[in-house]
Amino acid sequence: TARWKPWATAALVYLVFLCWHEPWFVRPLTQAEVQAAFDGPLAKAHLHPGERELMLAFFNSDDGRAFYNINLMQYRAQAQYPDGQARAGIVSGRDANTAYSNMVVPLLLERAGYPVFGSAKTSNLMMSADAGADFFEELAVVRYRSRRDMLEMILDPRFLAGAPHKLASLEKNVASPSTPFLVFDARALVAVLLLVLTLLWTARRGAQQRP
């Protein structure tokens, strides 16, 4: 029994982690909830033409599953806030994006979301002849537990207060929600970590018990 106790403990810890990480207990959004959000707090959101309809369609088709948001970003040389007012310590678009990231990452983690991948483009190789295809400077992929989590984060007063940083930072941004079919995310990382820790613990215990 003692030999299997660390494995049982590791399995229990992983189950608790999955209960947080997976959308098992998250209800899909209803159209009434989505409409209330866009008629209420998001009614005056700064959206480009057509974005409101695309966002409504995305949230109204909630399938209750996790997804990954792929962002292609081009920064402004100088931050430009919607209200026209400068912010202390923020000059460039990258400065504004740093302020946005500092705000949004804790909100993501509260809802089992997190950045999965980030990369700065070094050069163009393929497709660069297509006009506009090479606009982005950075690529970022963010994992969301569910569409409900994303909408609730957007409605969070802390997000609404910090969202102008994102608007100020970007000259152009393409965000594409995607369904993963091959990904190494926190589920695999935590499983490997627990496996290694359990093996090390059992090996140490075994060494201590030898005469």
Side-chain angles (χ1 to χ4, degrees), residues 12 30 36 42 45 50 53 55 67 85 92 106 110 112 122-123 126 135 137 149 159 173 187 190 204 206 211:
L12 180 60
T30 66
L42 300 181
E53 289 71 24
M55 292 180 69
F67 68 96
Q85 301 297 315
S92 68
E110 288 177 14
T122 56
S123 65
M126 296 180 290
F135 76 90
E137 302 170 42
D149 285 300
F159 183 89
N173 180 44
R187 287 171 297 185
V190 171
R204 182 179 179 184

Side-chain angles (χ1 to χ4, degrees), residues 2-210:
R3 185 176 61 180
W4 293 105
K5 188 174 181 179
W7 294 102
T9 301
L12 180 60
V13 170
Y14 191 60
L15 178 61
V16 171
F17 163 76
L18 288 177
C19 287
W20 168 79
H21 188 269
E22 299 302 302
W24 295 339
F25 307 106
V26 181
R27 295 182 296 105
L29 290 163
T30 66
Q31 291 191 7
E33 288 175 313
V34 175
Q35 197 63 48
F38 279 83
D39 289 342
L42 300 181
K44 296 182 180 180
H46 295 274
L47 300 174
H48 291 289
E51 281 188 336
R52 178 184 174 90
E53 289 71 24
L54 290 172
M55 292 180 69
L56 281 169
F58 173 69
F59 288 119
N60 280 328
S61 59
D62 189 0
D63 58 7
R65 299 170 59 189
F67 68 96
Y68 291 77
N69 206 28
I70 301 173
N71 297 274
L72 304 177
M73 298 170 290
Q74 180 186 31
Y75 295 109
R76 300 182 192 272
Q78 185 172 4
Q80 297 180 19
Y81 284 88
D83 60 7
Q85 301 297 315
R87 302 298 194 273
I90 295 177
V91 178
S92 68
R94 291 183 180 275
D95 294 336
N97 188 66
T98 298
Y100 172 79
S101 298
N102 292 338
M103 175 276 299
V104 79
V105 170
L107 299 183
L108 285 166
L109 291 172
E110 288 177 14
R111 298 164 175 84
Y114 47 85
V116 174
F117 178 79
S119 178
K121 184 176 67 176
T122 56
S123 65
N124 294 312
L125 292 178
M126 296 180 290
M127 305 294 290
S128 58
D130 293 342
D134 61 345
F135 76 90
F136 64 95
E137 302 170 42
E138 289 186 1
L139 180 151
V141 181
V142 178
R143 189 261 187 185
Y144 287 87
R145 180 173 56 186
S146 69
R147 301 186 199 196
R148 175 179 291 278
D149 285 300
M150 177 186 245
L151 184 58
E152 289 182 352
M153 186 189 76
I154 292 172
L155 297 175
D156 189 302
R158 292 169 293 174
F159 183 89
L160 294 173
H165 291 306
K166 190 69 171 178
L167 297 172
S169 71
L170 293 171
E171 185 69 38
K172 188 181 294 186
N173 180 44
V174 174
S176 179
S178 306
T179 300
F181 57 86
L182 179 63
V183 65
F184 186 90
D185 63 9
R187 287 171 297 185
L189 184 62
V190 171
V192 170
L193 179 62
L194 286 171
L195 176 62
V196 171
L197 290 175
T198 305
L199 287 171
L200 290 174
W201 191 88
T202 54
R204 182 179 179 184
R205 290 283 294 180
Q208 291 173 346
Q209 292 173 0
R210 294 192 191 102

